[in-house]
Amino acid sequence: MQNDKIIIRGAREHNLKNINLELPRNKLIVFTGLSGSGKSSLAFDTIFAEGQRRYVESLSAYARQFLGKMDKPDVDEIEGLSPAISIDQKAHSANPRSTVATITEIYDYLRVLYARIGEPHCPICGGKIEKLAIQQMVDIITEKISNLGANNVTPKESKLPTGQAMKQFNNDKIVILAPIVRGRKGEYYQMLYDLYNKGFSEVIIDGKNKKLKDKIALPRYKKHEIDLVARKVAIAWPVEDNKILQSDLSEAVETALAESGGLVKILLPAKSVIARSEAERNDEAILSETGLPRPQGLPAGRQARDDKKSEIGETFILSAKYSCPNDSFSFPEIEPRLFSFNSPYGACEYCHGIGTKFIFSDEACPKCEGRRLREEALNVLIGNKNINNVVNMPIREARDFFGGLHLSEKQTEIASAALKEINNRLQFMLDVGLDYLTLNRRAGTLSGGEAQRIRLASQVGSRLVGALYVLDEPTIGLHQKDNERLLQTLIQLRDAGNTVIVVEHDEDTILTSDYVVDIGPGAGKNGGEIVAAGTLSEVLKSKNSLTAKYLRGEESVPTPKIRRKNNREKILIIGAKEHNLKNIDIEIPLRRFVCITGVSGSGKSTLMNDILYCAAANRLQGAHYKIGEHKKITGLDELDRVIVVDQSAIGRTPRSNPVTYTGVWAHIREIFSMTEESRARGYKIGRFSFNRPGGRCENCEGNGTLAIEMHFLPTVYVKCDVCKGKRFDRETLEIKYKGKNISDVLEMEIEEAYGFFKDIPQIADKLKVLRQVGLGYLELGQGAPTLSGGEAQRVKLAKELSKYQSLRFRQGLNRSLYLLDEPTVGLHYDDVRKLVAVLQELVSAGNTVLIIEHNLDVIKNADYIIDLGPEGGDKGGQIVATGTPEEVAKMSRSYTGQYLRKIFNNQ
């Protein structure tokens, strides 16, 4: 049936060669092939882009005006397409407010949970606080009055209308206040007028008594504290049982609650026969704790009786919401925003919810100590844990905490929906191997693979049906041990009624898929064709598929027959304790190819980046990095330099590209400036630069594109309408070398350019290295923003390798330490073979290559392995195994060793 398929006709985006393809719906589909063969062009730039465009077009005109018009991909037709969701490797925002808990929406459910079943505790005395009913408030007031009665002066007897004999104090009254304005600017003329019309007669404004019948003028821009005098209640005791009888106390409290929105401020008479100074000190302490201003019109302490004024002995607050009966600490309304560090209602006042002293600082906020929230929010507990305690748990511990909660029947009924969502998302993150992360981990510190798997967990939690998911190498950063759980998550998405397309090179993923599409046969202009498509068994029969040859074992990444051995020179790290490292001692042999392995979160990056790199850079290159906690490092004197070859971008704008980064561009510009036509016109080398005026297109300033800001959406780049993307003006483009102008050269693929410039060593040698690392399909002028993290890393590696090859006899270049973090990202089996050869060349020259890697084809090529674990997070940080791959394969405790053993047994 047609509606059981996604039918693609005439796809030509980027290097795709007008391909036609039919994909089964509601299946797990893997797109594989060489790097640059066109996998992402088909999956993301064609299928996902068209699905997204159709969804946007289905929205109202009002909604579309904020999203902008989306261009149709270069494809004739796609049938059977569902709304599409892309889950790629883009790092999340570096915004310090973005965390694992907020990305997955777990924090939203936590806020609701704490607001609904959290138990508030007083920050002052630590006691549990419960809501007070009006009668409970009355009981607290009368108890405090009783405590005053024993020390008071002798009252006189009187008769109440009830006929009961009473004793009553002269002029002693409880003053019931309704706090109606608390620290807010304004004149409040209308409000005060309305209160007067309701029958109220007196207020306390900024500590001074005011009669509502008088003209009251308040400064508009000053913050005010306004308390309405709801009632003054006389104090009286029955003669018979010495109990308080106060018939109108409840009514007074109720009136104050209605006017204030839930708060009541109580002013009691002073205790009798105590020194004024002592009473004042007592009152000051109480007022300081409650944060209330002194009511100047109602004086504190004991005064002479002939003053004929009420003496005020104690001021406290009670609440129909939450208030401590011991010290009158009153909670604000306990609602979800109280637990939000993005809301002024809940965020720490000092750091505004960032948790640090300054934005992007590592120093904790001195007030909240990094907990982000105000004191009240941190004193609401569930299972004796506040919300900050929970988000600082590793995901596995958090799952166990919520799974073991003991709730009442009522709490269970209230919390069941929120708990279900929280537990589901926690379980999903466990299933994709993220159990070592804490919920409070900042998004900016996540790797691309971690960020992608967190987004995947969020999508599984959304339980969408009938959608099309497109994923980019979800196994990145994942140990083989955790692959199975990740694949089960993808299968869950499929079984829920969704189509899942995965761009992937991982063998386990390919073998688990329902349908495989192999794109190639080569990369760049030599790719863009469907080499094989069908079920796994059908693809395995293909004679043209390079992927099938590796899966069948006809091709493989070779294992070295001899391991390098060097027991003399080594780096020794003693007492490494940063993050989860367990005070370990590590030996790293020099002049060898060394792999750090282990499950995600075992401490690999902490060891290599936070400790070794920072220490080496400080010692060898005069840097000033903060070094991870350790006792001692020796052996750095054996090195001359340390180079990190990471996956960060080689530039932020389209002007930065492979040839500018590697230094090829200067030589190409020089060649064009030396042509006969250039010399005749007087053009110098600067004429052929798109980074400065003279020969570039000034409309786009040499970018070839114009940046269009989309406000709430990412910036969109459109081709310059003057130079049509060629970057240079008309006169510059008239200069040609071998029949090509400077723009034509920038559009060449590296493979083509290598042949074009083969007679010029300064250019050909550098292009040769770019080919060696598997980047022959990139265009010379391909903008940095379009390069993946893996491609950027290989461009950097090529730059370093070209330095060595062109200056191989320069002193010091064979005493370098190269640090790489998962350089196989985005690489096909055949590309991995090329990469390993490059790394081995660096080591053979006398350098040390230290890499973090999960790819077994790379690990088996190492001279030495350091395996960390055994698990991630708190259960990691130990040395599980060290030695050659063959030695580690014999160690049953090592997960890496178990998988290496399978490889060696198969060989």
Side-chain angles (χ1 to χ4, degrees):
M1 296 176 61
Q2 289 290 98
N3 58 2
D4 289 339
K5 299 177 181 178
I6 299 172
I7 302 173
I8 304 160
R9 297 189 182 93
R12 295 176 296 274
E13 193 71 23
H14 301 318
N15 68 330
L16 298 179
K17 305 253 183 357
N18 198 38
I19 65 172
N20 300 318
L21 181 65
E22 291 188 1
L23 301 173
R25 287 170 56 87
N26 302 333
K27 299 294 182 182
L28 175 57
I29 304 167
V30 169
F31 285 9
T32 190
L34 289 171
S35 302
S37 60
K39 304 182 299 297
S40 296
S41 295
L42 180 58
F44 289 94
D45 300 332
T46 303
I47 298 174
F48 166 69
E50 177 63 7
Q52 186 183 47
R53 186 190 70 84
R54 291 184 186 181
Y55 171 71
V56 170
E57 290 297 317
S58 71
L59 299 176
S60 67
Y62 176 78
R64 291 201 305 273
Q65 70 176 326
F66 298 104
L67 297 173
K69 181 175 176 58
M70 302 186 70
D71 292 333
K72 185 179 185 299
D74 191 2
V75 60
D76 291 337
E77 186 179 13
I78 302 182
E79 295 180 10
L81 202 54
S82 304
I85 297 167
S86 166
I87 306 178
D88 55 23
Q89 298 168 29
K90 290 180 181 176
H92 274 275
S93 166
N95 188 332
R97 299 180 187 276
S98 182
T99 67
V100 170
T102 60
I103 295 168
T104 57
E105 299 175 348
I106 286 176
Y107 199 76
D108 295 328
Y109 290 107
L110 282 177
R111 293 193 296 117
V112 172
L113 192 69
Y114 270 83
R116 298 296 175 256
I117 66 167
E119 298 175 339
H121 288 67
C122 178
I124 299 172
C125 69
K128 184 178 175 181
I129 299 175
E130 296 180 341
K131 286 185 178 181
L132 298 176
I134 293 176
Q135 189 55 53
Q136 289 175 301
M137 294 185 195
V138 173
D139 292 344
I140 292 171
I141 297 169
T142 53
E143 182 182 355
K144 289 183 178 288
I145 296 171
S146 296
N147 292 335
L148 293 176
N151 296 324
N152 250 309
V153 294
T154 304
K156 66 177 184 177
E157 291 191 14
S158 64
K159 289 278 186 179
L160 292 183
T162 58
Q164 189 174 7
M166 304 293 294
K167 293 182 179 180
Q168 185 171 351
F169 294 114
N170 292 326
N171 300 323
D172 281 345
K173 289 182 167 64
I174 310 167
V175 182
I176 311 292
L177 301 178
I180 51 179
V181 175
R182 306 187 79 182
R184 293 171 57 191
K185 298 176 182 179
E187 295 177 324
Y188 298 105
Y189 174 81
Q190 187 62 46
M191 184 192 75
L192 297 173
Y193 181 75
D194 292 340
L195 290 173
Y196 179 71
N197 287 338
K198 286 181 181 179
F200 296 102
S201 61
E202 191 175 354
V203 289
I204 301 174
I205 300 177
D206 301 332
K208 295 182 180 180
N209 279 22
K210 301 284 186 180
K211 299 294 183 182
L212 285 171
K213 66 180 180 180
D214 297 337
K215 184 176 180 181
I216 301 174
L218 300 182
R220 174 184 295 183
Y221 300 108
K222 178 184 176 183
K223 291 183 178 180
H224 300 291
E225 300 279 346
I226 303 178
D227 296 323
L228 173 68
V229 179
R231 190 74 60 86
K232 294 181 180 179
V233 183
I235 303 174
W237 281 264
V239 174
E240 293 87 356
D241 55 7
N242 199 34
K243 288 183 179 178
I244 302 170
L245 177 64
Q246 193 55 63
S247 58
D248 58 352
L249 189 57
S250 295
E251 182 184 347
V253 171
E254 190 171 344
T255 301
L257 288 175
E259 292 299 327
S260 67
L263 293 178
V264 173
K265 189 188 296 185
I266 312 297
L267 303 181
L268 292 182
K271 291 183 179 180
S272 181
V273 199
I274 58 175
R276 174 176 174 80
S277 59
E278 184 179 344
E280 283 181 333
R281 284 199 302 274
N282 180 63
D283 292 348
E284 290 292 349
I286 293 170
L287 292 171
S288 175
E289 289 294 328
T290 60
L292 298 170
R294 171 173 302 286
Q296 295 179 7
L298 300 167
R302 189 67 189 160
Q303 289 186 333
R305 278 288 171 189
D306 55 6
D307 268 0
K308 296 183 180 180
K309 292 182 179 179
S310 297
E311 297 86 19
I312 305 304
E314 187 173 356
T315 306
F316 63 97
I317 284 182
L318 295 174
S319 172
K321 295 165 185 178
Y322 291 101
S323 182
C324 179
N326 298 324
D327 47 43
S328 305
F329 181 90
S330 179
F331 258 83
E333 179 70 20
I334 300 179
E335 52 184 301
R337 63 177 178 154
L338 177 65
F339 305 97
S340 172
F341 45 77
N342 291 318
S343 166
Y345 193 80
C348 165
E349 296 176 357
Y350 184 92
C351 67
H352 305 290
I354 296 174
T356 54
K357 193 170 183 180
F358 307 105
I359 192 166
F360 301 122
S361 161
D362 292 328
E363 187 176 352
C365 166
K367 184 171 180 64
C368 69
E369 298 178 339
R371 295 176 294 182
R372 299 173 177 259
L373 298 169
R374 60 190 288 186
E375 189 177 36
E376 292 88 338
L378 296 171
N379 279 278
V380 180
L381 309 181
I382 295 177
N384 293 320
K385 303 282 186 185
N386 64 34
I387 195 169
N388 184 71
N389 298 145
V390 172
V391 297
N392 278 309
M393 293 178 179
I395 287 166
R396 183 176 296 280
E397 185 181 337
R399 196 274 310 268
D400 294 341
F401 169 74
F402 285 110
L405 276 180
H406 298 290
L407 303 177
S408 67
E409 185 177 343
K410 181 180 178 182
Q411 286 177 317
T412 301
E413 183 179 357
I414 294 170
S416 59
L419 279 174
K420 181 182 178 182
E421 296 294 339
I422 291 169
N423 284 323
N424 282 346
R425 283 164 169 77
L426 291 173
Q427 186 60 50
F428 295 144
M429 282 193 283
L430 288 177
D431 292 343
V432 294
L434 296 174
D435 51 302
Y436 58 93
L437 293 179
T438 63
L439 291 170
N440 209 28
R441 175 82 172 264
R442 291 188 178 184
T445 67
L446 298 172
S447 69
E450 287 170 335
Q452 182 176 212
R453 293 199 296 281
I454 286 172
R455 293 172 60 202
L456 176 60
S458 301
Q459 288 298 329
V460 175
S462 67
R463 294 188 292 277
L464 286 177
V465 175
L468 169 64
Y469 288 93
V470 185
L471 291 86
D472 189 6
E473 292 196 84
T475 61
I476 287 173
L478 206 57
H479 192 275
Q480 299 291 327
K481 167 183 172 288
D482 298 315
N483 265 8
E484 185 176 345
R485 290 189 296 173
L486 170 66
L487 292 174
Q488 286 303 314
T489 303
L490 299 180
I491 290 169
Q492 275 184 270
L493 271 181
R494 177 201 66 189
D495 292 346
N498 301 295
T499 304
V500 182
I501 295 177
V502 182
V503 175
E504 189 58 89
H505 300 288
D506 176 68
E507 186 170 312
D508 290 339
T509 309
I510 296 172
L511 296 178
T512 305
S513 65
D514 303 310
Y515 200 84
V516 180
V517 178
D518 190 28
I519 303 175
K525 293 179 180 177
N526 296 320
E529 301 176 21
I530 304 298
V531 177
T535 62
L536 178 64
S537 59
E538 291 171 341
V539 170
L540 284 174
K541 296 174 184 176
S542 171
K543 296 180 180 180
N544 298 323
S545 169
L546 186 58
T547 302
K549 290 179 181 179
Y550 275 92
L551 291 174
R552 291 195 299 262
E554 296 171 11
E555 296 282 353
S556 64
V557 178
T559 303
K561 296 178 181 179
I562 301 174
R563 307 286 181 186
R564 299 179 185 87
K565 292 185 178 180
N566 172 16
N567 298 320
R568 293 171 300 167
E569 298 170 302
K570 63 186 177 185
I571 294 173
L572 178 60
I573 302 174
I574 301 173
K577 294 193 293 185
E578 183 71 6
H579 296 149
N580 67 333
L581 295 179
K582 304 292 193 299
N583 196 28
I584 58 177
D585 300 337
I586 308 106
E587 285 189 8
I588 302 172
L590 297 178
R591 324 298 172 216
R592 292 164 80 178
F593 181 15
V594 183
C595 266
I596 303 178
T597 62
V599 299
S600 302
S602 57
K604 304 183 295 296
S605 296
T606 299
L607 174 62
M608 188 176 82
N609 299 324
D610 297 346
I611 297 180
L612 177 58
Y613 170 68
C614 291
N618 288 0
R619 177 71 175 272
L620 303 175
Q621 293 161 195
H624 299 283
Y625 296 121
K626 180 183 177 182
I627 305 173
E629 187 176 359
H630 70 287
K631 293 178 182 176
K632 186 179 180 182
I633 297 181
T634 63
L636 295 178
D637 291 339
E638 302 291 341
L639 301 170
D640 288 330
R641 60 178 189 151
V642 58
I643 302 100
V644 171
V645 187
D646 59 20
Q647 296 183 19
S648 60
I650 61 172
R652 297 182 180 179
T653 70
R655 293 183 189 175
S656 182
N657 54 53
V659 290
T660 58
Y661 188 82
T662 56
V664 174
W665 186 232
H667 298 296
I668 293 175
R669 289 165 50 217
E670 186 177 6
I671 287 174
F672 273 88
S673 68
M674 293 172 64
T675 62
E676 186 176 343
E677 183 69 18
S678 285
R679 291 200 301 269
R681 296 189 184 190
Y683 291 170
K684 304 298 183 184
I685 189 171
R687 179 82 191 193
F688 301 94
S689 171
F690 45 69
N691 285 318
R692 60 183 183 182
R696 70 180 184 182
C697 169
E698 290 304 323
N699 186 58
C700 63
E701 296 183 334
N703 285 308
T705 58
L706 298 173
I708 308 298
E709 296 293 336
M710 297 296 287
H711 301 291
F712 300 109
L713 292 173
T715 300
V716 172
Y717 292 93
V718 298
K719 187 179 290 186
C720 174
D721 53 358
V722 174
C723 68
K724 310 301 181 187
K726 294 186 179 295
R727 299 174 178 251
F728 296 92
D729 61 25
R730 185 183 298 110
E731 290 75 16
T732 305
L733 293 174
E734 290 172 353
I735 306 301
K736 294 186 177 181
Y737 171 74
K738 289 186 178 181
K740 293 187 180 292
N741 63 34
I742 193 77
S743 179
D744 296 333
V745 169
L746 284 172
E747 292 176 358
M748 283 183 179
E749 290 184 358
I750 289 170
E751 189 72 41
E752 179 187 357
Y754 175 69
F756 188 76
F757 292 108
K758 64 181 179 181
D759 297 329
I760 304 172
Q762 300 96 319
I763 299 175
D765 288 349
K766 288 182 170 63
L767 295 178
K768 178 183 176 182
V769 180
L770 287 167
R771 291 171 68 232
Q772 279 183 268
V773 296
L775 296 177
Y777 60 90
L778 291 182
E779 291 183 357
L780 297 186
Q782 189 160 331
T786 69
L787 299 180
S788 69
E791 288 169 337
Q793 185 176 39
R794 279 176 281 148
V795 170
K796 295 176 184 178
L797 185 60
K799 180 179 180 180
E800 289 301 322
L801 190 60
S802 66
K803 286 180 184 178
Y804 155 70
Q805 289 183 343
S806 60
L807 303 171
R808 60 184 309 155
F809 299 110
R810 176 172 290 184
Q811 184 179 3
L813 282 181
N814 62 346
R815 286 167 50 89
S816 301
L817 171 62
Y818 290 92
L819 305 178
L820 295 88
D821 193 347
E822 290 198 82
T824 60
V825 169
L827 294 188
H828 185 269
Y829 300 101
D830 209 53
D831 298 312
V832 170
R833 182 162 64 177
K834 296 176 183 176
L835 174 67
V836 169
V838 169
L839 297 178
Q840 296 285 22
E841 185 177 342
L842 282 173
V843 180
S844 296
N847 299 297
T848 304
V849 173
L850 179 64
I851 71 171
I852 294 172
E853 191 54 80
H854 294 292
N855 186 294
L856 292 171
D857 283 327
V858 176
I859 295 171
K860 74 179 185 181
N861 272 275
D863 299 313
Y864 192 81
I865 294 174
I866 301 170
D867 192 39
L868 299 182
E871 303 291 344
D874 291 339
K875 295 181 180 178
Q878 303 174 44
I879 296 178
V880 177
T882 60
T884 65
E886 289 80 7
E887 291 169 344
V888 172
K890 297 175 182 177
M891 299 180 185
S892 57
R893 185 172 178 239
S894 167
Y895 292 123
T896 304
Q898 293 172 20
Y899 287 96
L900 281 173
R901 188 158 57 248
K902 292 179 183 177
I903 285 183
F904 292 145
N905 289 341
N906 290 336
Q907 289 178 348

